[in-house]
């Protein structure tokens, strides 16, 4: 597909917003009644989305009975998708259930998790309440044999996390799979060899899915965001997705909803090739590219790239898979932030309830970097530049450009292609903010850098300018 200018995306987006049953409207126009009685002006939407846009960095947590198997079944490895192990090896419920019944995350310490994750600069945590295997991490009243209450652990795994998030000032968010390989009424793929009767989607929605969501939205305090998933099965259609979104909007109008309810209003042309059309569906409040970062920013669209630490695509803990190196993870966060998106980075705790050492180590490295540089990520806007004359990225706040330098220039000079007068330039790592020499030229402002980069992975140069960046085309 020929790459189109971002302008074409803006036009397409405007068309999408006008055509689709978007849940928000400008001050004058009423919301499309077909979608729900959820009414919101663009200003109200901006207020509702503000925490999400400011956060930039979230943590995904995939945890469930599959964590006990950790990517291995009868000596065979899943290779990817450790949380899909039941499907990979077609394990029937009669065999998979006893595995869950032995799950005892005895070392689980939600408060310790949240403190370690918060220190890494993460602003929201999104945990799997129920993944595709249908196992519920909370003692739901809607089934009596497939939730945490049937395990030796017995307690509620979500409640302590929700409480710890609230006490630590981290947004508590949830992942919830619509697809349910266990429930007898799920009309799509199932591994429940014990079920009887004929699946019934309407009963599944009305007597299970919707009431379970009501349990979650009335029992755990305010939930910041829901990461819906598992709606690609042909058994689930756009109308089901619209109903699901409307149900959630009624349960909690302040909720941020991702784009995977299954609802599919008219879609725009993005103007670039997308790896996974499902995750780029324009619906809900934001789009969720999986393991990929849009090549440019997506002006006017909220987006979040979700990414694993254990490639390829191991969201549940895999005992064999390697962990991606920290520099790659940090530069991914900087890249996403520079394009105006969020990074939802995943960890898969082990069956005992521990954040495994390789994940903990990366969180500690994030914590060390964020201690110095968080202001160059949280609350920043997308870069005003389409490209820069150095290997790195840039984020911005009013009056400030943050230049994230990946490779330290050999000549010690950094060209910032703006015609604005630079009032000050300094290293963010320099507590004394010692001014760096800046010279102006028709190409822009050139900053003279210290001989040695303060950080081996990403060093941030702060350039203070008056007004909006006047970018010089390159
Ligand atoms: C989904 C889940 O299947 C996966 O286990 C994990 O939870 C991830 C965050 O979300 O992954 C998907 C979903 C849909 C597609 C690909 C991966 N798809 O439609 O191409």
């Amino acid at each position: 597909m020929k790459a189109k200018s971002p302008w074409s995306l803006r036009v397409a987006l405007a068309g999408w917003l006008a055509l689709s049953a978007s849940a928000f409207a400008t001050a004058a126009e009423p919301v499309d009644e077909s979608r729900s009685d959820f009414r919101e002006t663009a200003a109200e939407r901006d207020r509702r989305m503000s925490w999400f846009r400011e956060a930039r960095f979230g943590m995904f947590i995939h945890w469930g009975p599959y964590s006990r198997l950790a990517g291995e079944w009868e000596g065979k490895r899943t290779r990817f998708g450790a949380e899909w192990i039941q499907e990979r090896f077609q394990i029937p419920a009669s065999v998979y259930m006893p595995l869950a019944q032995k799950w005892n995350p005895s070392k689980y310490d939600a408060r310790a998790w949240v403190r370690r994750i918060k220190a890494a600069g993460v602003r929201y945590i999104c945990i799997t309440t129920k993944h595709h295997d249908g196992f519920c991490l909370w003692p739901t009243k809607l089934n009596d044999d497939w939730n945490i209450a049937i395990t030796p652990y017995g307690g509620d795994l979500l409640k302590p996390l929700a409480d710890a998030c609230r006490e630590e000032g981290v947004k508590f968010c949830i992942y919830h799979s619509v697809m349910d390989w266990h429930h007898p009424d799920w009309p799509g793929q199932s591994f429940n060899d014990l079920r009887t009767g004929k699946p019934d989607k309407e009963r599944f929605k009305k007597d299970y899915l919707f009431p379970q969501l009501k349990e979650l939205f009335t029992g755990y305090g305010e939930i910041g965001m829901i990461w819906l998933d598992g709606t690609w099965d042909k058994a689930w259609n756009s109308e089901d997705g619209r109903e699901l979104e409307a149900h959630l909007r009624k349960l909690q109008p302040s909720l941020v909803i991702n784009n995977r309810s299954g609802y599919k209003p008219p879609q725009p042309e993005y103007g670039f090739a997308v790896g996974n059309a499902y995750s780029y569906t324009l619906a809900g409040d934001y789009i969720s590219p999986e393991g990929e970062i849009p090549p440019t920013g997506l002006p006017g669209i909220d987006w979040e790239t979700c990414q694993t630490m254990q490639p390829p695509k191991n969201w549940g803990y895999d005992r064999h898979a390697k962990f991606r190196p920290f520099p790659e993870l940090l530069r991914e966060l900087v890249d996403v932030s520079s394009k105006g998106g969020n990074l939802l980075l995943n960890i898969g705790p082990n069956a005992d309830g521990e954040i495994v050492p390789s994940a903990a180590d990366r969180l500690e490295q994030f914590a060390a970097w964020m201690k110095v540089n968080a202001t160059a990520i949280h609350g920043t806007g997308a870069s005003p530049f389409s490209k820069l004359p150095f290997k790195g990225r840039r984020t911005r706040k009013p009056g400030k450009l943050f230049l994230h330098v990946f490779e330290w220039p050999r000549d010690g000079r950094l060209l910032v292609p703006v015609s604005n007068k630079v009032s000050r330039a300094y290293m963010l790592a320099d507590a004394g903010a010692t001014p760096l020499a800046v010279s102006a030229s028709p190409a822009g402002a050139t900053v003279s850098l210290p001989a040695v980069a303060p950080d081996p992975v990403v060093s941030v140069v702060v350039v203070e300018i008056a007004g909006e960046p006047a970018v010089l085309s390159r």
Side-chain angles (χ1 to χ4, degrees), residues 287-357:
I287 66 171
S288 55
E290 191 163 319
E292 58 179 293
I293 297 171
T296 61
L298 294 171
I301 296 178
D302 291 295
W303 59 278
E304 168 202 77
T305 286
C306 55
Q307 184 57 278
T308 68
M309 280 195 194
Q310 287 193 286
K313 294 185 185 289
N314 283 299
W315 302 88
Y317 172 55
D318 182 302
R319 77 182 77 225
H320 298 291
K322 292 193 178 352
F323 281 73
R324 296 169 64 211
F326 170 72
E328 197 181 296
L329 299 173
L330 175 57
R331 289 181 178 179
E332 195 156 62
L333 173 64
V334 170
D335 186 22
V336 165
S337 303
S338 75
K339 293 169 180 168
N342 287 8
L343 177 67
L344 186 62
L345 181 61
N346 181 75
I347 57 172
N350 65 17
D352 293 340
E354 295 167 309
I355 296 177
V356 299

Side-chain angles (χ1 to χ4, degrees), residues 374-396:
T375 189
I377 297 289
H378 296 141
T380 60
S383 165
F385 305 106
S386 56
K387 56 184 177 184
L388 263 187
F390 65 87
K391 190 155 171 20
R393 295 293 185 271
R394 49 282 161 206
T395 55
R396 59 188 290 211

Side-chain angles (χ1 to χ4, degrees), residues 60 62 66 81-84 128 131-132 175 177 179 181 227-232 260 275-279 290 306-308 313-316 344 346:
F60 228 163
H62 278 68
Y66 46 78
E83 73 288 352
W84 273 67
T128 50
H131 203 261
H132 308 331
Y175 164 108
S177 174
M179 179 163 77
W181 295 331
W227 214 92
L228 295 165
D229 195 24
T231 55
W232 56 83
R260 298 187 181 197
N276 170 338
Y278 176 69
S279 53
E290 191 163 319
C306 55
Q307 184 57 278
T308 68
K313 294 185 185 289
N314 283 299
W315 302 88
L344 186 62
N346 181 75

Side-chain angles (χ1 to χ4, degrees), residues 39-325:
R39 291 181 169 282
E40 181 178 58
T41 63
E44 287 165 339
R45 170 185 166 78
D46 286 343
R47 269 196 297 281
R48 180 169 59 86
M49 295 298 293
S50 60
W51 74 265
F52 182 81
R53 293 170 179 163
E54 192 275 341
R56 290 283 171 258
F57 193 17
M59 190 123 280
F60 228 163
I61 297 179
H62 278 68
W63 201 28
Y66 46 78
S67 308
R68 293 198 68 228
L69 303 177
E72 188 172 317
W73 174 249
E74 296 176 341
K76 299 184 297 276
R77 292 184 47 193
T78 47
R79 301 284 172 208
F80 62 91
E83 73 288 352
W84 273 67
I85 194 160
Q86 185 179 16
E87 191 269 348
R88 284 287 176 286
F89 296 112
Q90 304 285 298
I91 307 171
S94 53
V95 175
Y96 191 76
M97 287 183 82
L99 296 167
Q101 285 153 7
K102 295 190 185 79
W103 186 24
N104 185 9
S106 55
K107 295 180 181 169
Y108 176 44
D109 178 345
R111 174 64 67 88
W113 280 17
V114 174
R115 283 181 170 163
R116 174 173 274 178
I117 291 169
K118 177 184 178 183
V122 171
R123 290 289 175 85
Y124 60 105
I125 289 176
C126 183
I127 187 167
T128 50
T129 55
K130 179 186 80 135
H131 203 261
H132 308 331
D133 62 7
F135 185 85
C136 302
L137 270 61
W138 80 103
T140 178
K141 298 280 184 292
L142 279 299
N143 77 55
D144 54 13
D145 65 353
W146 200 226
N147 67 75
I148 194 66
I150 65 160
T151 71
Y153 182 81
D156 186 335
L157 295 175
L158 300 186
K159 189 83 174 58
L161 189 68
D163 293 345
C165 281
R166 196 165 302 105
E167 283 144 27
E168 296 290 335
V170 175
K171 276 285 186 187
F172 176 65
C173 305
I174 60 174
Y175 164 108
H176 198 77
S177 174
V178 172
M179 179 163 77
D180 190 315
W181 295 331
H182 189 83
H183 196 277
D185 280 332
W186 170 248
Q189 185 177 30
S190 173
F191 298 100
N192 192 343
D193 57 333
L194 306 172
R195 73 177 179 178
T196 56
K198 192 169 172 307
D200 179 316
K201 181 170 69 175
E202 289 313 310
R203 200 167 52 207
F204 177 77
K205 286 192 290 190
K206 302 288 185 279
D207 298 347
Y208 193 67
L209 177 64
F210 287 12
Q212 276 206 326
L213 289 169
K214 184 168 183 179
E215 279 186 327
L216 292 167
F217 280 89
T218 54
Y220 295 87
E222 183 178 32
I223 293 175
M225 171 269 280
I226 187 165
W227 214 92
L228 295 165
D229 195 24
T231 55
W232 56 83
D233 194 302
K234 60 185 184 311
W236 190 265
N237 60 42
S238 179
E239 175 55 18
D240 297 317
R242 189 197 63 75
E243 278 179 44
L244 173 55
E245 274 196 32
H247 177 66
L248 289 164
R249 298 274 187 223
K250 284 192 180 71
L251 284 173
Q252 189 187 297
S254 64
L255 179 65
V256 173
I257 304 176
N258 80 337
N259 62 335
R260 298 187 181 197
S261 67
Y263 177 56
K264 193 164 184 181
Q267 295 293 304
E269 279 273 305
Y270 278 108
F272 55 79
V274 301
N276 170 338
Y278 176 69
S279 53
Y280 270 91
T281 302
L282 211 51
D285 293 311
Y286 74 91
I287 66 171
S288 55
E290 191 163 319
E292 58 179 293
I293 297 171
T296 61
L298 294 171
I301 296 178
D302 291 295
W303 59 278
E304 168 202 77
T305 286
C306 55
Q307 184 57 278
T308 68
M309 280 195 194
Q310 287 193 286
K313 294 185 185 289
N314 283 299
W315 302 88
Y317 172 55
D318 182 302
R319 77 182 77 225
H320 298 291
K322 292 193 178 352
F323 281 73
R324 296 169 64 211

